[in-house]
Amino acid sequence: AQSVAQPEDQVNVAEGNPLTVKCTYSVSGNPYLFWYVQYPNRGLQFLLKYITGDNLVKGSYGFEAEFNKSQTSFHLKKPSALVSDSALYFCAVRDPSGGSYIPTFGRGTSLIVHP
Amino acid sequence: DTAVSQTPKYLVTQMGNDKSIKCEQNLGHDTMYWYKQDSKKFLKIMFSYNNKELIINETVPNRFSPKSPDKAHLNLHINSLELGDSAVYFCASSQDGSFNSPLHFGNGTRLTVT
């Protein structure tokens, strides 16, 4: 079975500082990993994905994520946070060896960027 | 030219009523989904429809039923509404049932059952 964990309910960071939102996963085979962002009263928006290849994936709005197979992690990062990055972030996983294409989402991490 | 649109945005109704939420996507995608987001923001898959194959989360009460008149639409019907059905319901689509295609979400329907 596929699962994903986001260990932090909330992350606080000052504007201009680097940010990290953590995600760990559990799958039987090789994972397909995704990050989404949700702004208030809106649906989730796709940020980036890891399928295969380079462990550092670049996405929208200056975000990137690092895939680490040995630690089964896929942390979301940004070198310099903006107040407008404040939102809810979801990690998601698909496991092709499990057969279902339906992604499993983490419980979400609220990112708060302070001016 | 919204990619995935849901109507209504807000739905307030009484217990026992039957209601529907409509979803349309203009992305030409083959796969559509319904998710329920509870008050703690947890996302739970309810249904997925791909190439006329319906996948149902077995934990979803049979009061909930999806209806897909065509590839661009996946509507959600709810019978005999209960207080616990209050949540935000999201429709989503993806290009196909492949593992690498991301989901595109609508902006949600906030259902309040009184």
Side-chain angles (χ1 to χ4, degrees), chain B residues 43-56:
Chain B
L43 280 164
K44 172 184 169 182
I45 182 68
M46 301 180 71
F47 304 101
S48 177
Y49 202 81
N50 176 45
N51 285 331
K52 300 185 180 180
E53 179 189 10
L54 177 65
I55 298 175
I56 301 172

Side-chain angles (χ1 to χ4, degrees), chain A residues 33-35 46-51 57-59 74, chain B residues 100-102:
Chain A
L33 294 157
F34 303 79
W35 274 103
F46 167 69
L47 279 179
L48 52 78
K49 66 181 179 182
Y50 172 82
I51 305 302
V57 179
K58 294 190 183 297
F74 188 56
Chain B
N100 63 0
S101 54

Side-chain angles (χ1 to χ4, degrees), chain A residues 15-33:
Chain A
E15 187 175 32
N17 283 0
L19 69 88
T20 299
V21 182
K22 296 180 180 177
C23 171
T24 59
Y25 66 88
S26 176
V27 296
S28 303
N30 294 317
Y32 285 45
L33 294 157

Side-chain angles (χ1 to χ4, degrees), chain A residues 2 32-34 36 38 40-51 88 90 94-108, chain B residues 9-10 31-33 35 37-38 40-43 45 47-50 53 55 90 94 96-108 110:
Chain A
Q2 63 192 30
Y32 285 45
L33 294 157
F34 303 79
Y36 293 82
Q38 184 180 25
N41 299 314
R42 300 296 297 272
L44 280 68
Q45 296 177 33
F46 167 69
L47 279 179
L48 52 78
K49 66 181 179 182
Y50 172 82
I51 305 302
L88 190 58
F90 289 92
R94 280 168 163 153
D95 179 8
S97 65
S100 173
Y101 62 86
I102 298 175
T104 297
F105 286 84
R107 301 190 71 88
Chain B
K9 186 171 176 65
Y10 299 97
T31 306
M32 297 185 73
Y33 311 77
Y35 280 87
Q37 187 173 48
D38 64 20
K40 295 186 178 181
K41 306 298 184 183
F42 180 63
L43 280 164
I45 182 68
F47 304 101
S48 177
Y49 202 81
N50 176 45
E53 179 189 10
I55 298 175
F90 286 100
S94 62
D96 49 34
S98 66
F99 293 94
N100 63 0
S101 54
L103 272 60
H104 297 252
F105 284 80
N107 283 327
R110 183 174 295 276

